[in-house]
Amino acid sequence: MPSSHQAGAWSGGTIKLLSKNKHLASLFCALGFSIYWTWLLFVLLTGFFSSAQSSPVFDSAWFWSTLGHIATLAMLGALSKQYSPYSNNRAILFGSPLVSMLGFAMILYANVLGSGLNGALIFGAITVGVGTSGQLVCWCELYSSLYSNNKKRLILSIGVIVSEIVFLALAVLPRPAMVASLFVLPLLSALCVHLGLKKSTIEPHRESSDEGRLSLRFALFCLVYSIPLGFFQVRFLFGSNDTVLSWITTIAFSFAFLLVIVAIDGYMASKRDTSLIPKSVIPFAIGGLLLIATFGDERAAVSGILVYSAQQLLTILLYSEFAKIAHNGRTSPAKIFALGVCLTDGGFILGMLVGEISITFLGSFYLELTLGVVYIVALAGFLLLSRFPSESISNEDDTSGRANAKAPSSLSTAMQSKIDRAVAEYSLTVRETEMLSYILRGKSVPAIASETYLSRNTVKTHIVHIYQKINVHSRDELIAFIENLD
């Protein structure tokens, strides 16, 4: 448990990591996630070590592990105000991967006892869910501390892509070597997180607030959109006769897709201040589901590539959004990630249960009808996704507006000197200088518009011009840049 000083410093606040070497911290963060994600993919998602027999849901380690994951995350999220940052506690940071390894050992033992559901499989899978929950909350505290929202998405994109490379490398190893590697990966992931934290200094935010939260629309999106992915997981990925080969094919093609999308997304973010990833999630998933509904098992491989890629893009999109909400709302990252991941896991379980019902009770005759329902759910997710980014911007403005009461009415002499230097070096106009001053005083876009008698769109235009001249991509990055000027 953390000391009373650590718990008190966190209460109502956030981790703010002032990076001594932000590039190294980001690298360790990406590596930590890629190793964690690779391990989850091998042990749970692929079914390499827990092949389904009578039931594609209840015989799978993934189902029971997700239940343990949800329960543990809910507890960690509820206790986050008193006990986080969890990454400061080495018992949690390095104990969690040991718990995950114990669970993996029990899953292997269950394979020795025989395929199908048994007590060792259930215990091992739930134990894995408990261990991975601790690993996730420690990692998310490092991840959420990074300044730039665009950098958050880039770090996670790199992590996902590297995880697929590591998967392809391990998948071709002899099984004993693969198993030995999987026993090492959880500790290696924790070590990367630990090294990332060592490259940074943990400091509580001086203006703490509990305003960071998931909006209802965003929470519904997290829940609803995971349902068709869970359905697909059960109906077409469990019980494959050639699991290793089918997964190597799926992930190899997914790697190529994601590499192209992430490269284009990075270009669009730097040149056009927009993103391709949110625009790709829905078409990939709907395309895969539509192929299934139209061709059935004949196009299962192609649809698997599309749906799996959509699942990876969804992880990048949601996790970066969770980190943004925690950072901007000055809220514990463990609290936000716990709630968000519980919702996505809950949707995934619902989808798995729908898949179980379609196989056990409805049969292939009603498969198209079931997929039609899933397709409608995906469309509902599209409607939610098309609206939550604008609401997220609105929430950020509201959060800044609520901070106005505590914002300084004037800037210190030192800060004013830094503004003067930025004006001279980056040729800011008089109006842009005024906008910069308001931003550094904690003013939201609506508040600036009200005080300057300008429209909100005009204020946003001036702020975008500041971003372009200084080469930053967010309010947080701008403030950090000005504060770090000599």
Side-chain angles (χ1 to χ4, degrees):
M1 291 175 59
S3 66
S4 58
H5 171 72
Q6 290 170 323
W10 178 266
S11 179
T14 186
I15 290 179
K16 185 180 181 183
L17 298 182
L18 305 177
S19 181
K20 300 172 184 174
N21 191 323
K22 288 186 284 187
H23 295 298
L24 272 179
S26 300
L27 175 63
F28 284 127
C29 183
L31 286 176
F33 180 81
S34 65
I35 296 170
Y36 165 82
W37 205 243
T38 301
W39 193 85
L40 284 181
L41 182 61
F42 263 106
V43 175
L44 299 177
L45 190 63
T46 59
F48 284 6
F49 304 101
S50 59
S51 59
Q53 298 296 318
S54 60
S55 169
V57 174
F58 301 108
D59 286 353
S60 70
W62 178 259
F63 175 78
W64 297 104
S65 175
T66 303
L67 291 181
H69 200 59
I70 291 174
T72 308
L73 281 177
M75 181 188 68
L76 292 172
L79 297 175
S80 61
K81 189 171 183 179
Q82 290 78 26
Y83 297 109
S84 56
Y86 293 109
S87 54
N88 275 357
N89 190 324
R90 293 199 177 187
I92 296 178
L93 180 60
F94 290 103
S96 296
L98 293 177
V99 173
S100 298
M101 292 160 62
L102 172 63
F104 178 48
M106 291 302 299
I107 291 175
L108 292 178
Y109 177 65
N111 273 266
V112 174
L113 295 179
S115 57
L117 184 65
N118 57 57
L121 175 64
I122 295 176
F123 176 79
I126 293 176
T127 303
V128 166
V130 173
T132 53
S133 297
Q135 291 179 256
L136 178 63
V137 295
C138 289
W139 172 83
C140 79
E141 289 173 348
L142 171 62
Y143 177 59
S144 300
S145 69
L146 302 174
Y147 288 121
S148 168
N149 291 322
N150 287 332
K151 182 183 288 186
K152 289 189 182 79
R153 187 169 291 173
L154 177 61
I155 289 170
L156 203 54
S157 300
I158 293 172
V160 168
I161 289 174
V162 171
S163 73
E164 296 190 332
I165 296 175
V166 176
F167 176 91
L168 294 173
L170 294 181
V172 297
L173 293 177
R175 191 176 179 91
M178 179 196 299
V179 171
S181 300
L182 291 175
F183 271 109
V184 176
L185 291 185
L187 280 175
L188 189 57
S189 176
L191 179 61
C192 287
V193 173
H194 175 66
L195 292 175
L197 291 170
K198 285 189 69 173
K199 295 298 177 181
S200 308
T201 302
I202 299 180
E203 204 175 80
H205 201 287
R206 62 179 179 272
E207 292 180 5
S208 50
S209 145
D210 273 332
E211 300 295 345
R213 66 188 185 279
L214 300 183
S215 68
L216 178 60
R217 182 178 289 122
F218 186 34
L220 284 174
F221 172 79
C222 295
L223 177 68
V224 170
Y225 191 71
S226 300
I227 293 175
L229 301 180
F231 176 88
F232 181 87
Q233 176 77 13
V234 169
R235 184 59 182 84
F236 289 95
L237 296 184
F238 276 117
S240 173
N241 292 326
D242 196 356
T243 305
V244 176
L245 181 60
S246 63
W247 271 103
I248 289 176
T249 303
T250 298
I251 291 180
F253 279 100
S254 173
F255 167 76
F257 277 130
L258 293 179
L259 195 61
V260 172
I261 290 174
V262 169
I264 296 174
D265 182 76
Y267 173 82
M268 293 175 65
S270 62
K271 300 297 183 181
R272 302 186 180 183
D273 196 28
T274 185
S275 177
L276 179 64
I277 289 178
K279 300 177 177 65
S280 304
V281 173
I282 304 299
F284 271 52
I286 290 180
L289 294 170
L290 188 58
L291 280 173
I292 297 169
T294 305
F295 298 103
D297 291 346
E298 295 177 8
R299 296 291 184 272
V302 178
S303 60
I305 293 168
L306 293 176
V307 176
Y308 174 79
S309 299
Q311 187 176 7
Q312 304 312 297
L313 292 171
L314 181 68
T315 299
I316 296 171
L317 178 66
L318 294 185
Y319 281 25
S320 60
E321 191 70 15
F322 296 158
K324 176 182 175 182
I325 292 171
H327 182 78
N328 291 342
R330 302 181 178 90
T331 303
S332 164
K335 175 183 175 182
I336 298 298
F337 270 78
L339 176 59
V341 175
C342 281
L343 288 168
T344 56
D345 283 354
F348 204 88
I349 284 182
L350 288 176
M352 293 175 76
L353 294 175
V354 171
E356 172 85 5
I357 292 171
S358 72
I359 293 174
T360 306
F361 299 106
L362 300 181
S364 59
F365 179 77
Y366 290 102
L367 177 60
E368 289 76 12
L369 176 62
T370 305
L371 286 170
V373 174
V374 175
Y375 184 70
I376 293 173
V377 171
L379 287 177
F382 173 78
L383 295 177
L384 290 169
L385 178 61
S386 65
R387 299 183 65 179
F388 90 77
S390 61
E391 181 176 273
S392 175
I393 294 172
S394 175
N395 285 343
E396 183 178 349
D397 289 341
D398 290 344
T399 300
S400 299
R402 283 188 288 268
N404 285 340
K406 298 181 180 179
S409 58
S410 61
L411 298 170
S412 66
T413 303
M415 183 59 71
Q416 189 60 54
S417 298
K418 294 180 179 183
I419 293 177
D420 293 340
R421 178 176 174 181
V423 170
E425 290 189 9
Y426 298 97
S427 303
L428 301 183
T429 66
V430 174
R431 184 64 83 176
E432 289 165 357
T433 304
E434 183 183 16
M435 298 297 113
L436 178 58
S437 176
Y438 279 119
I439 290 173
L440 293 173
R441 287 159 55 194
K443 298 290 185 179
S444 66
V445 169
I448 297 173
S450 176
E451 293 193 24
T452 58
Y453 300 101
L454 298 173
S455 70
R456 296 187 183 186
N457 286 337
T458 300
V459 171
K460 290 179 180 179
T461 299
H462 286 306
I463 293 175
V464 168
H465 289 164
I466 296 172
Y467 290 174
Q468 292 171 344
K469 288 183 177 182
I470 298 182
N471 194 26
V472 296
H473 304 92
S474 69
R475 175 184 290 250
D476 296 327
E477 194 174 350
L478 174 63
I479 293 173
F481 178 85
I482 298 298
E483 288 178 346
N484 290 329
L485 285 176
D486 295 330

